[in-house]
Amino acid sequence: MSKFKNINPTIIVIFGGTGDLAKRKLFPAFQNLYLDGRMSKKFEIIALGRAEKSNEEFRSYVLENLNIFSRKKDIADPETQKFLSHITYHSLDIDKEESYQSLNEKINNIDETFGERANRLFYLSITPSFISTISSNIKKIGLAANPKQDRIIIEKPFGYDKTSAIALNEMLSQTFKEEQIYRIDHYLGKETVQNILAFRFGNSMFEPLWSRNFIDFVQITVAEEVGVEERGGFYEGVGALKDMIQNHLLQILCMTAMEAPASLEADDIRNRKADVLKSIRRIKPEEVDHYVVRGQYDAGAIKGNPVPGYRQDKGIAPDSITETYVAMKIYLDNWRWQGIPFYLRTGKRMEEKQSSIIIQFKPVPHSSFSYGKEGMTPNRLIINIQPAMDIKLQFMTKKPGLSLSLRPAEMIFDYFACSTMSPEAYETLIADALAGDPTLFMRWDQVEQAWDAIDTIQQLWKNTVPVKFPNYKAGSWGPEEADELLARQGHKWIPNTQTKEELLDDTDI
């Protein structure tokens, strides 16, 4: 995690510089880092693409998108104009070695202008199928020959399954050392996710409670209102298990369940996260249906507006068995969490957009206050990641009046009340990559263990046609089987926001 370290002169090379991620996230992130004084005084961004463009044409394109997607949208700002002057465009054919030689000449010329050999950050904002070609050509030309100065950022997914991930890592390791490879998961750059570390290990009062002795269950939700939009062709070969569970949700699980690191150094934190992934109880093939639910959305309505089913979206097969929803129960076989269920769910076309962690504590062992609606509701800690960014603690208080009855109350820490201009996730992660801080990036052993944790599920679903697809309506909270998954243990899915009336109705179950 970046600590405002001095950034050395850096040349940033973006493969896929004309793509959607670059225009929506990467250039706005670099612009904001520049405006906040987080870039080196000597830096150059080389955007790569197939088409021929002049620098002026490309800078106008970047400026237009900054005005749409950047959190600092003042296009007349002279500092933004200075930022644009650091961007050049370079036409490159990914398959041709001579294109990389031309790129090498350009980089060497920039080094001469800087008067020193700059750090090099290669950002692969491209589909995984191109990684092998790019990596081998980078090696052939010697573009990243200095392990201490040169780094590569790779977007998810890192492989398509455990086997392909191992093959990809072996291929990359022929060009890059592990310390040069930054596998990015933008969820780890979100303010609220990072704050889990501060919240857990910066407050002594929570540590004694953070275990199987006091916690009943943990629930992690990443729900989206949107469907697959224009990504149908991509999503058909991926699905929710690989797109969300294997990376985002398992990484949030790691932050929630990890042991205290010895320090905030990258290896100490990543070691503790790897321990969590190793402790996940592997699900046997015959147990998959008991522990995991998959779903696919049908036509429905989002906020009163009708939307089509998944199979009606562009690029989707009419008999597709790709899952758009996954709910699963996970156990961690370790001292702290033995026997405590972690419920994970993610889905598209859900009732509302929501990313949250809910920790429900065990009920009091005995209470004299249990009278129906005036009785006890569970203590809960709710960490909202997006769109809300807050931490809520729900507890019981005496209801004002002459009778000794209780009512639930909340204490809330709201991020937006503290800062309305928090850096976005990509800003945080890119700043760390520029500084050479890999703390929030996935190490290879984490990637391998994450794939291994879902491998049995993935293999079974690949060879088994679901009995009933689609099985939930757009605008709902998913298939009924997901509710049954929790109900078997007397639990239920908890919304991350509740009215006072809902809190009063939510008696201990």
Side-chain angles (χ1 to χ4, degrees), residues 25-232:
K25 298 294 183 182
L26 303 187
F27 285 113
F30 284 117
Q31 178 216 19
N32 287 311
L33 289 172
Y34 175 80
L35 295 177
D36 289 343
R38 303 293 299 276
M39 299 285 287
S40 168
K41 290 183 178 169
K42 294 180 181 178
F43 80 94
E44 194 75 17
I45 299 173
I46 304 174
L48 305 179
R50 278 185 174 273
E52 294 289 342
K53 294 178 189 288
S54 68
N55 288 336
E56 290 71 25
E57 287 175 321
F58 189 74
R59 287 168 185 168
S60 294
Y61 163 82
V62 172
L63 183 59
E64 178 184 345
N65 288 305
L66 290 177
N67 193 38
I68 300 170
F69 301 112
S70 175
R71 64 184 174 89
K72 297 180 180 178
K73 295 182 171 63
D74 186 1
I75 61 173
D77 185 346
E79 289 302 311
T80 294
Q81 297 299 323
K82 288 181 186 176
F83 165 73
L84 290 169
S85 70
H86 289 269
I87 299 173
T88 59
Y89 179 82
H90 187 78
S91 178
L92 179 134
D93 187 328
I94 284 175
D95 298 313
K96 292 184 178 179
E97 185 178 325
E98 54 265 33
S99 283
Y100 294 85
Q101 291 171 340
S102 172
L103 175 62
N104 190 39
E105 290 175 12
K106 190 179 190 76
I107 291 172
N108 288 335
N109 289 336
I110 295 171
D111 282 343
E112 287 183 17
T113 303
F114 287 170
E116 59 184 306
R117 205 273 195 186
N119 289 356
R120 299 174 184 182
L121 179 64
F122 298 91
Y123 201 118
L124 271 57
S125 177
I126 42 88
T127 59
S129 57
F130 291 123
I131 293 177
S132 176
T133 302
I134 293 171
S135 176
S136 61
N137 278 296
I138 285 175
K139 180 181 181 181
K140 220 179 266 185
I141 306 302
L143 287 167
N146 190 329
K148 293 191 180 302
Q149 285 190 279
D150 305 331
R151 301 161 196 139
I152 183 170
I153 297 178
I154 299 175
E155 283 281 339
K156 76 171 187 71
F158 192 85
Y160 301 101
D161 55 20
K162 183 180 176 182
T163 301
S164 64
I166 291 172
L168 175 59
N169 191 67
E170 288 176 349
M171 180 273 298
L172 279 172
S173 64
Q174 295 172 15
T175 304
F176 301 95
K177 296 183 181 298
E178 174 62 29
E179 57 267 28
Q180 292 178 273
I181 303 172
Y182 287 63
R183 302 172 187 86
I184 194 168
D185 182 343
H186 73 272
Y187 257 69
L188 294 182
K190 292 184 180 294
E191 280 283 336
T192 333
V193 175
Q194 293 180 73
N195 196 59
I196 297 171
L197 288 177
F199 183 80
R200 284 195 57 196
F201 305 125
N203 298 290
S204 62
M205 65 181 179
F206 292 112
E207 175 56 26
L209 306 178
W210 212 269
S211 75
R212 59 188 170 84
N213 296 322
F214 296 97
I215 291 175
D216 195 10
F217 65 89
V218 178
Q219 172 185 315
I220 299 172
T221 296
V222 177
E224 301 175 281
E225 288 181 351
V226 298
V228 294
E229 309 303 321
E230 300 299 318
R231 299 169 67 236

Side-chain angles (χ1 to χ4, degrees), residues 352-369:
E352 64 181 33
K353 181 178 181 178
Q354 176 195 132
S355 295
S356 63
I357 305 160
I358 297 178
I359 292 120
Q360 178 149 312
F361 293 91
K362 291 181 177 180
V364 294
H366 172 73
S367 174
S368 303
F369 297 104

